[in-house]
Amino acid sequence: SNDPLVIFTPSGKRGHFPVGTPVLTAARQLGVDLDSVCGGRGICSKCQITPSYGEFPKHGVTVAKDALSDWNSVEQRYDDKRGLKTGRRLGCQAQVQGDIVIDVPETSQVHKQVVRKRVEARDITLNPSTKLFYVEVEQPDMHEPSGDLERLVRALRTEWDLPELFADLDLLKTLQPILRKGEWKVTCAVHLEDRRIMQIWPGFYEGSIFGLAVDLGSTTIAGHLCDLATGEVVASSGIMNPQIRFGEDLMSRVSYSMMNPGGADEMTAAVRDGMNELFAQIAEEAGITQDLIMDAVFVCNPVMHHLFLGIDPFELGQAPFALATSEALNLRAAELGLALHPAARVYLLPCIAGHVGADAAAVALSEAPGKSEDLVLVVDVGTNAEILLGNREKVLACSSPTGPAFEGAQISSGQRAAPGAIERVEIDPMTKEPRFRVIGSDIWSDEDGFADAIADTGVTGICGSGIIEMVAEMRLAGLLDGPGLIGSSEQTGTTRCFLDGRTYSYMVWDDPERPITVTNRDIREIQMAKAALYSGARLLMDKFGVDSVDRVVLAGAFGAHISPKHAMVLGMIPDAPLDMVTSAGNAAGTGARIALLNTKARREIEQTVHNIHKIETAIEPRFQEHFVNASNIPNAVEPFPILNT
Ligand code: FES
């Protein structure tokens, strides 16, 4: 062809186009991912590109200085108003004049990569449910009697290739004045999955639209507000789950609903109120109004799932633990009483089984064990541990009732992770003296300046990761035997071990006002929690037919803070090389964010969940057996060879 050659980077897509073709047109014809909200009218500036000049031996072209048309008045106007970065051009205005190499910067790509993970098979690209479209609508005409909505829908179809769209009454009520105010030029927010026009603005709307990813936990509710056009998290916030007053753990909430008529409804109202409080908080932090939030994704365990939806969780309290539905749900925010955009949609990830919820599905979406070459164990540590084991061949899942001990509950000096809480511990094996660090300070207790460092907070207690290190260090220092008994001062050689009722306790911090000790009951609680976690993992390994795993991923807000070495000393997780134990942070929250920002990921996880084999720990005799053995520290029968190296 004699027409100029146009090459796009980084995609490498290329083709010949007649002189005078706008770059945006060429990009569209080649399927290059170049954004546009205004449809090439020089208003939105989403289509920015960077032309490259000179020799490109790799591509076999030389790009002359005049390979693109000069700045036109539209670009000039845009530059005067807002400034176009050096070297940038508006793709809808610049026209092809000769062979050219054009780079599409990441900010101009619709499907940019938004969630990057360290240990992951792939990046997540942006593909949101709701997008903005600018259109010019035909004016009404006496000779062609059609409604304003019909002409708007037609404009969206012909200009943007959108399917037949619908509108709610709320939108219809605003439609006519807005069309006229904008002189028939409007910006629409369209929910593509729902095929609904969510909102319209006169002229070109400069603002953003938002989505919420919500991790609805039994203890805390955390929300992340994302800009749907960039994928960025613009605000995050969390609150305590107000259902706590009905019961600390899930089963006590289920029994509350069984004992009290109307109890389930009370808890539903409480969690929805809490949610709205959280949304208000997040919107304020981001400086937006709540009605700009058009889409929301929720992940939660099965009991929270039912209580949030207003379904009595009765059946989840007894075998065979049947869910009302395990499928993903697409609902309207309004029917759940959520104060978001009036037409906002809510997506709930599918549940895996009666005890393994949408939170575990979110972890599966984020950590993708089914895409892993090696055998990976993913443990989401919370009041209930969600455990996944798998590789490309298959994925197994179960949940295990660890209880709230890892969150510092039911531990005599236990507390939630907050400034003043002990989070890191070392015990000298010779002197049996402890040293520790508290949250909010990076000075160890035996270092100069510790008193100053904690002047504001004091030492208030021990948080979950702190108690794990504490117990493991006590075992390593010989203060504690395998079955979990703290020795006397004679046996251990330290007066820090003292008789406390019928068993011994270990004095960590002998502040007379607020002494911090570890009692033998505390040790028992941790033994139960870690034994539940380990036996769940071990049961999955039995079912998989393996004795070891290649790597372990610790997930959950709390999981991120656990030291792999101490978890292993405790026998909380199966033996694996220490450098193969990594932390994934809040994987359920990440999974929610992925599902919010990429609607294709929703289809993917719906498919994946169907292929996960669920194991019910409660009915497995092997679980009890593993549990008994795992009560020992690290374990009565399992070898932990890694600890001897
Ligand atoms: Fe909107 Fe070019 S497409 S400015």
Side-chain angles (χ1 to χ4, degrees):
S1 166
N2 283 334
D3 286 336
L5 176 62
V6 181
I7 300 172
F8 286 95
T9 57
S11 67
K13 290 187 174 156
R14 53 167 69 204
H16 290 275
F17 293 90
V19 168
T21 308
V23 172
L24 178 65
T25 310
R28 286 200 169 157
Q29 283 182 20
L30 291 174
V32 170
D33 184 10
L34 177 58
D35 201 359
S36 156
V37 169
C38 72
R41 294 187 180 85
I43 305 173
C44 71
S45 82
K46 298 280 188 209
C47 61
Q48 292 185 30
I49 47 117
T50 314
S52 308
Y53 299 97
E55 301 259 357
F56 293 90
K58 195 174 101 200
H59 297 304
V61 288
T62 303
V63 180
K65 273 282 157 233
D66 55 1
L68 281 185
S69 58
D70 286 339
W71 273 32
N72 66 14
S73 57
V74 176
E75 283 177 296
Q76 193 60 57
R77 185 159 26 100
Y78 183 81
D79 188 49
D80 291 346
K81 257 176 78 184
R82 300 212 233 147
L84 202 52
K85 258 200 225 157
T86 322
R88 289 281 177 88
R89 299 287 306 269
L90 293 183
C92 62
Q93 302 302 316
Q95 297 170 357
V96 176
Q97 304 289 331
D99 292 351
I100 177 84
V101 175
I102 291 168
D103 187 55
V104 180
E106 190 152 51
T107 45
S108 300
Q109 297 169 12
V110 185
H111 303 291
K112 47 187 143 292
Q113 300 184 336
V114 281
V115 180
R116 277 176 224 273
K117 310 275 329 280
R118 282 148 308 192
V119 203
E120 201 191 34
R122 78 247 180 283
D123 284 335
I124 302 300
T125 48
L126 186 62
N127 193 9
S129 64
T130 312
K131 283 195 202 167
L132 294 172
F133 299 93
Y134 175 86
V135 277
E136 294 184 8
V137 181
E138 254 177 75
Q139 299 189 26
D141 180 343
M142 292 284 276
H143 302 291
E144 200 249 322
S146 62
D148 283 351
L149 178 65
E150 288 69 54
R151 267 174 282 106
L152 173 64
V153 169
R154 198 191 311 147
L156 285 163
R157 189 174 55 225
T158 48
E159 263 197 54
W160 293 100
D161 213 13
L162 295 180
E164 200 61 39
L165 298 172
F166 306 95
D168 291 343
L169 181 57
D170 276 334
L171 184 107
L172 273 178
K173 286 196 264 189
T174 62
L175 180 66
Q176 298 199 306
I178 291 177
L179 279 171
R180 283 153 187 85
K181 184 168 174 213
E183 290 168 344
W184 306 97
K185 299 181 181 73
V186 289
T187 307
C188 302
V190 176
H191 196 294
L192 297 164
E193 292 239 296
D194 198 34
R195 292 172 54 188
R196 197 162 302 274
I197 304 172
M198 305 287 287
Q199 188 156 346
I200 61 170
W201 293 266
F204 181 70
Y205 170 62
E206 305 261 348
S208 306
I209 53 172
F210 301 89
L212 258 175
V214 182
D215 183 1
L216 169 52
S218 3
T219 317
T220 53
I221 309 175
H224 303 285
L225 185 73
C226 298
D227 183 322
L228 287 180
T230 63
E232 253 173 272
V233 176
V234 292
S236 293
S237 196
I239 57 162
M240 297 300 286
N241 187 330
Q243 288 180 342
I244 284 191
R245 67 172 187 271
F246 303 102
E248 275 264 351
D249 59 51
L250 291 172
M251 278 312 131
S252 55
R253 285 180 219 169
V254 174
S255 48
Y256 181 86
S257 77
M258 295 205 250
M259 314 292 232
N260 303 277
D265 292 342
E266 254 180 280
M267 285 188 278
T268 299
V271 74
R272 290 180 183 176
D273 286 352
M275 208 83 88
N276 283 332
E277 191 186 304
L278 174 69
F279 297 166
Q281 209 169 294
I282 289 183
E284 194 189 318
E285 190 188 318
I288 64 158
T289 51
Q290 272 160 263
D291 59 2
L292 285 174
I293 304 172
M294 311 225 167
D295 198 26
V297 168
F298 286 81
V299 300
C300 44
N301 61 54
V303 174
M304 291 313 306
H305 177 271
H306 280 40
L307 284 173
F308 171 51
L309 293 175
I311 301 170
D312 195 317
F314 181 77
E315 295 296 337
L316 297 174
Q318 55 182 30
F321 313 105
L323 288 152
T325 176
S326 61
E327 296 295 319
L329 292 171
N330 276 294
L331 305 165
R332 304 167 56 97
E335 63 187 312
L336 295 171
L338 301 179
L340 304 174
H341 185 282
R345 306 298 297 186
V346 166
Y347 177 78
L348 272 87
L349 267 79
C351 291
I352 299 179
H355 270 155
V356 192
D359 46 359
V363 172
L365 179 57
S366 157
E367 299 312 308
K371 291 189 171 152
S372 173
E373 293 280 353
D374 48 9
L375 185 62
V376 57
L377 177 76
V378 185
V379 185
D380 192 337
V381 192
T383 22
N384 244 336
E386 270 79 41
I387 309 170
L388 298 161
L389 175 69
N391 57 18
R392 280 171 182 231
E393 228 174 275
K394 64 179 171 196
V395 178
L396 310 181
C398 74
S399 92
S400 196
T402 38
F406 289 148
E407 291 177 355
Q410 285 162 26
I411 300 295
S412 61
S413 295
Q415 70 159 94
R416 291 188 202 292
I422 296 178
E423 60 165 349
R424 292 272 99 100
V425 183
E426 278 175 14
I427 297 177
D428 187 306
M430 301 306 290
T431 64
K432 323 288 182 196
E433 285 300 295
R435 64 199 290 265
F436 57 83
R437 236 174 50 191
V438 302
I439 297 177
S441 142
D442 46 18
I443 298 187
W444 287 82
S445 59
D446 61 346
E447 286 172 349
D448 290 343
F450 180 70
D452 289 341
I454 59 153
D456 287 344
T457 58
V459 181
T460 50
I462 312 177
C463 72
S465 63
I467 192 77
I468 285 172
E469 296 199 4
M470 185 74 75
V471 178
E473 288 284 319
M474 285 173 71
R475 177 78 182 103
L476 288 174
L479 297 166
L480 192 64
D481 64 8
L485 276 181
I486 301 177
S488 66
S489 59
E490 291 75 36
Q491 286 165 321
T492 59
T494 174
T495 52
R496 285 186 179 270
C497 289
F498 62 98
L499 190 63
D500 188 5
R502 297 164 63 177
T503 52
Y504 292 89
S505 293
Y506 177 67
M507 176 64 71
V508 181
W509 180 241
D510 51 4
D511 181 340
E513 306 241 311
R514 203 170 194 168
I516 290 173
T517 60
V518 177
T519 68
N520 223 122
R521 257 206 73 208
D522 298 341
I523 304 284
R524 284 268 171 269
E525 293 289 341
I526 291 298
Q527 282 177 289
M528 303 293 247
K530 74 100 181 174
L533 190 63
Y534 182 84
S535 2
R538 196 68 192 83
L539 185 67
L540 293 189
M541 289 160 69
D542 287 351
K543 297 277 170 187
F544 213 98
V546 294
D547 285 323
S548 64
V549 299
D550 296 324
R551 56 189 179 96
V552 180
V553 175
L554 294 169
F558 162 66
H561 294 106
I562 300 176
S563 124
K565 175 186 142 197
H566 292 104
M568 203 98 65
V569 169
L570 218 53
M572 201 172 140
I573 49 175
D575 187 74
L578 277 184
D579 58 352
M580 286 292 142
V581 184
T582 55
S583 144
N586 181 1
T590 304
R593 202 145 52 86
I594 293 170
L596 175 69
L597 296 175
N598 186 335
T599 47
K600 282 202 190 116
R602 300 182 189 181
R603 303 297 91 79
E604 182 190 315
I605 193 60
E606 287 160 14
Q607 197 50 50
T608 304
V609 160
H610 285 146
N611 298 330
I612 294 180
H613 305 257
K614 304 98 199 168
I615 311 291
E616 183 52 69
T617 54
I619 56 166
E620 288 283 344
R622 289 298 302 273
F623 182 81
Q624 283 313 319
E625 213 174 290
H626 288 314
F627 186 90
V628 171
N629 293 330
S631 302
N632 258 47
I633 305 172
N635 197 294
V637 293
E638 304 280 346
F640 272 77
I642 212 80
L643 295 177
N644 302 323
T645 59

